[in-house]
Each structure stands twice: as structure tokens, then as C-alpha cells.
Amino acid sequence: MVDTAIKDGSNILDFASVEKLSELQDNAHELGLTAVFAGSIRLPHLSTVAKINPDILGFRGVVCENGRVKKEMVIRLREEVEKL
């Protein structure tokens, strides 16, 4: 799993390019592992992250408001993921 350690609003793409994440995923697959990416991935990042064709994406902030999961935000995220 690749995530951001410091929760300062930066996202995974601020630290690693799509090419680097794709390479990391390829290396994981060669070892028989599943690659998981998280780290402040927001709706505008989805099309960029989708280029990697990730095994699993982790979300928290994009579906939360004041620290609570909001059903309507989960539904919106699902709709956007399905468009990809």
C-alpha cells in the first residue's frame, strides 16, 4: 500500500508520478502482490490515477465531512468511478 504519511492536504500525485506508481504496481505484480494506492485522492484525481489501472484505490477524505462518512459522498464517488 502506498499512502501519504503526513496528512497535510498533499496527495499521492504530489509525491509520485503516474509512471512511478505504475512501475511500483508492476513490481508488486511481479512479486505476486496486489498494489493499493491511497493518499488524499479526490474526484479531480480519478482520471489521472485511472491511467495506472490500479488494483485497489483507498479513499477516506473524499467521502467524509467533519470526520464522518456521508452516504451521498460515497454515492458520488461511486458514480465517478463507474464513469471511468
Side-chain angles (χ1 to χ4, degrees), residues 12-72:
I12 192 172
L13 297 169
D14 293 326
F15 299 100
S17 66
V18 168
E19 293 79 16
K20 185 53 90 175
L21 293 172
S22 184
E23 179 183 327
L24 187 116
Q25 179 168 264
D26 291 344
N27 291 340
H29 290 169
E30 288 175 13
L31 297 170
L33 300 172
T34 299
V36 180
F37 300 111
S40 296
I41 299 170
R42 304 277 184 211
L43 296 179
H45 306 127
L46 287 179
S47 61
T48 302
V49 175
K51 294 174 186 173
I52 304 166
N53 194 21
D55 297 323
I56 299 173
L57 287 175
F59 299 98
R60 183 184 51 83
V62 75
V63 296
C64 291
E65 186 176 283
N66 299 320
R68 309 286 253 171
V69 175
K70 296 290 187 178
K71 180 180 178 180
E72 59 273 8

Side-chain angles (χ1 to χ4, degrees), residues 65 69-77 79:
E65 186 176 283
V69 175
K70 296 290 187 178
K71 180 180 178 180
E72 59 273 8
M73 294 171 84
V74 173
I75 291 168
R76 171 103 192 276
L77 174 61
E79 290 170 350

